[in-house]
Amino acid sequence: MRYVVYGAGAVGGVIAARLALGGHDVQVVARGAHLEAIQRRGLRLVTAHDEAVVELRAADTVADLDVGSDTAVLVSVKSHQTAAIMHDVLRGTPPDVTLVSAQNGVANEATMLRGRHHVLGMVVMLPSSHLEPGVVIQGSSAKPGLLDLGCFPSGTDDRAEAVADGLRAGGFESVVRPDIMAWKYRKLMLNLGNAAQAACAPGADKDELDELVRSEGEAVLAAADIAMVSEATDARRRADHLDTSLMRARGGGSTWQSLRRGTGDVEVDYLNGEISLLGRLHGVPTPANDLLRDTVWRLAAERAEPGSVAAADLLKELQT
């Protein structure tokens, strides 16, 4: 199987580089200065132990790449960008291409399924960062990441197994699961903390916000009767596969990085906003998720620095 990584940022860039280092045919879609750097110098992968420069065919549209029925397109843009890039994907891929949502959130797979019939969901556990054009940082010095996947909405097949084989050749842990969305909803619970991490400095007040948004999330999924693997099951899967103790300066997670890069947009609508949506559909209040979603959107619009909001002030607002 050949691979196209659509969105060669922090997650997509590390996946693309490691797939290529594992001997696979890999192309990438990137934009702006990052694309120019990859085309001129290759993609530089920085790890805790060494660096590697990987030469990749790169373009700003999938139509300018070589995509066939034997290609898996790993989509790793932020969730709020998925609908827009699907227009490009549909123009540049055959009907029987394999699409893989290498993304946080739980809404991307349905968006992809509107245009292509073979869609795989992926749980992304890959500490990484991208703050400089042409450079991605692999955060884990043990396995680079855990990338379990399965068919959407459920099931397994030979294509899922082939993609997992390729990821394992690139050094990743990858298990094919028939209930991948139950795993993705558990990952969503973790990603609800991205907003407080991006908006607030570390500390007990920030941790309290994390607990509030996750408690609301658990209540909403229970009310919606959405299947989710247990926290204990998820912890056993992670075990000690990822080791970030030797990681070079990464900063924070994906939402933190969006604020630091000053992109002007964030994917919080598909993380905390997913809980807000489900809460409204099922009559469950979600004030903490609502407030953090709105706060992070304001910071993004103002091009504000990460950590510029006092968590104590947000807690006070929730108590009024």
Side-chain angles (χ1 to χ4, degrees), residues 6-7 10 15 21 28 30 68 123 128 143 163 180 190-191 205 221 242 261-262 292 298 301:
Y6 202 118
I15 292 175
L21 292 171
V28 300
V123 179
S128 57
K143 289 288 183 179
V163 173
I180 195 62
L190 294 176
N191 289 135
D205 289 334
L221 294 193
L242 303 180
R261 292 199 306 273
L292 276 164
R298 176 177 58 79

Side-chain angles (χ1 to χ4, degrees), residues 22-278:
H24 290 284
D25 180 342
V26 184
Q27 306 166 84
V28 300
V29 175
R31 301 279 161 78
H34 189 45
L35 171 61
E36 294 172 6
I38 294 171
Q39 290 175 327
R40 287 199 314 269
R41 304 187 298 270
L43 179 63
R44 181 156 63 100
L45 173 68
V46 179
T47 76
H49 303 295
D50 55 26
E51 299 185 9
V53 176
V54 182
E55 300 293 332
L56 298 167
R57 181 175 176 180
D60 64 357
T61 173
V62 74
D64 290 336
L65 301 176
D66 180 16
V67 182
S69 300
D70 61 343
T71 304
V73 179
L74 276 64
V75 177
S76 56
V77 300
K78 297 292 193 296
S79 295
H80 62 282
Q81 300 165 331
T82 300
I85 68 99
M86 279 301 296
H87 296 294
D88 182 37
V89 170
L90 297 181
R91 286 194 301 268
T93 64
D96 56 349
V97 73
T98 301
L99 301 184
V100 186
S101 173
Q103 300 162 285
N104 291 327
V106 292
N108 299 291
E109 290 82 1
T111 299
M112 294 178 187
L113 202 63
R114 287 186 172 95
R116 289 292 182 263
H117 64 84
H118 202 99
V119 175
L120 305 177
M122 177 186 287
V123 179
V124 178
M125 306 179 201
L126 202 171
S128 57
S129 68
H130 162 56
L131 298 173
E132 177 185 348
V135 181
V136 292
I137 298 175
Q138 173 190 310
S140 175
S141 56
K143 289 288 183 179
L146 278 64
L147 302 176
D148 293 350
L149 53 86
C151 297
F152 178 78
S154 63
T156 66
D157 63 9
D158 290 344
R159 294 195 196 192
E161 295 288 353
V163 173
D165 284 344
L167 293 168
R168 288 191 288 265
F172 296 100
E173 284 273 340
S174 186
V175 174
V176 177
R177 301 188 180 279
D179 58 344
I180 195 62
M181 295 310 294
W183 291 83
K184 291 203 72 166
Y185 273 102
R186 173 53 61 188
K187 178 69 189 306
L188 175 64
M189 293 300 100
L190 294 176
N191 289 135
L192 295 180
N194 288 15
Q197 182 196 55
C200 309
D205 289 334
K206 195 277 291 183
D207 294 343
E208 185 174 347
L209 286 172
D210 286 344
E211 288 298 318
L212 288 173
V213 295
R214 287 171 183 157
S215 177
E216 290 178 1
E218 297 272 356
V220 162
L221 294 193
D225 197 26
I226 292 174
M228 177 173 61
V229 300
S230 69
E231 194 170 2
T233 298
D234 184 62
R236 285 195 297 272
R237 173 64 182 115
R238 292 167 183 268
D240 57 355
H241 293 301
L242 303 180
D243 177 10
T244 60
S245 60
L246 299 179
M247 186 174 67
R248 300 184 184 188
R250 173 181 173 237
S254 59
T255 305
W256 184 97
Q257 291 175 47
S258 293
L259 292 184
R260 173 51 59 87
R261 292 199 306 273
T263 62
D265 59 11
V266 283
E267 66 176 342
V268 69
D269 280 352
Y270 291 87
L271 302 177
N272 304 86
E274 188 73 29
I275 300 306
S276 297
L277 170 62
L278 289 170

